[in-house]
Amino acid sequence: MKVVHFLVAILALASSVAYAYDPSPLQDFCVAINDPNDGVFVNGKFCKDPKLVTAEDFFKHVEPGNTRNPLGSKVTPVSVTELVGLNTLGISLARIDFAPKGLNPPHTHPRGSEILIVVEGTLLVGFVTSNQDNNRLFTKVLNKGDVFVFPIGLIHFQLNVGNVNVVAIAALSSQNPGVITIANALFKSNPPISPYVLTKAFQVDKSVIDYLQKQPWYNNNN
């Protein structure tokens, strides 16, 4: 009987882990719609009537991003928000364009791991492990055709270290992986985080925090 109870506990744990990520679809597709009429609510979206689905629901053309900004980079996401056919499929991607020396600043994806391939140019990429692993930094210089993986939730970045434009494609293991840009979250939160908290956390003078909180902190994911 103890063995049975143990197996039940393991199955319950496995189920809870499985549902921590995007759910498995129970039908061929569930094209997202905003109109609840005649729709079924699945994973934050209503499903379009399958009989009304067309090839256009699974198609999107992605233009090069405008890198004329303070970061010199532009992320063009293709998540369920931009491509409704992704609903319940558990995947998404992003095109990332870099001007020479452009940076995709340190950020995390709370709901998805990322695998990135360089289409053109050269990138310095890296991620930092958790406190439990002593915040080790893993970095690599990637050239055309190289692939690199960023584990779910870990802070990572990409920097164009060449003198030409770079194009990279990132695939993510969630239809809506989310993104948290570290500097923006800390110094551009609404309302602002208490300067006392930030001065204590970073062990710097309040004038430094005041300066950082006054910066525009451009968002290259818009």
Side-chain angles (χ1 to χ4, degrees):
M1 184 62 68
K2 290 183 179 179
V3 173
V4 173
H5 289 167
F6 176 75
L7 290 174
V8 170
I10 292 296
L11 288 172
L13 177 61
S15 297
S16 65
V17 171
Y19 281 99
Y21 300 97
D22 292 7
S24 298
L26 300 177
Q27 56 201 50
D28 288 348
F29 46 76
C30 172
V31 172
I33 56 171
N34 293 320
D35 185 358
N37 293 331
D38 300 322
V40 177
F41 195 71
V42 178
N43 197 29
K45 300 287 183 180
F46 286 95
C47 289
K48 187 176 184 179
D49 184 340
K51 296 177 182 177
L52 301 178
V53 169
T54 70
E56 295 302 310
D57 293 316
F58 303 97
F59 171 82
K60 182 175 179 62
H61 177 73
V62 180
E63 294 283 351
N66 184 356
T67 59
R68 294 180 181 176
N69 58 64
L71 292 173
S73 72
K74 180 66 173 73
V75 179
T76 306
V78 184
S79 68
V80 68
T81 303
E82 294 80 25
L83 182 56
V84 291
L86 286 172
N87 194 39
T88 73
L89 299 186
I91 57 171
S92 61
L93 63 78
R95 172 180 172 139
I96 315 172
D97 291 274
F98 299 83
K101 311 305 179 186
L103 171 70
N104 191 14
H107 62 281
T108 73
H109 302 291
R111 295 181 292 276
S113 296
E114 174 182 339
I115 182 168
L116 178 140
I117 183 168
V118 177
V119 178
E120 295 289 346
T122 302
L123 282 179
L124 170 67
V125 305
F127 68 85
V128 180
T129 63
S130 63
N131 295 2
Q132 181 180 352
D133 193 50
N134 297 316
N135 304 121
R136 289 193 294 158
L137 172 64
F138 291 83
T139 62
K140 187 75 175 175
V141 174
L142 306 182
N143 295 299
K144 181 177 178 178
D146 289 342
V147 174
F148 198 82
V149 172
F150 305 100
I152 185 172
L154 298 187
I155 295 173
H156 58 284
F157 61 88
Q158 299 105 23
L159 172 68
N160 181 353
V161 291
N163 295 313
V164 298
N165 293 337
V166 169
V167 178
I169 301 295
L172 299 114
S173 61
S174 170
Q175 69 177 38
N176 186 21
V179 60
I180 302 171
T181 305
I182 306 305
N184 298 43
L186 289 174
F187 303 117
K188 197 182 176 182
S189 66
N190 184 21
I193 297 174
S194 166
Y196 179 81
V197 171
L198 296 176
T199 54
K200 196 80 169 178
F202 288 98
Q203 298 293 290
V204 296
D205 188 81
K206 184 176 179 293
S207 62
V208 175
I209 299 301
D210 289 341
Y211 171 80
L212 291 172
Q213 289 187 319
K214 290 177 182 177
Q215 300 310 301
W217 297 111
Y218 181 80
N219 181 2
N220 66 338
N221 281 268
N222 282 345

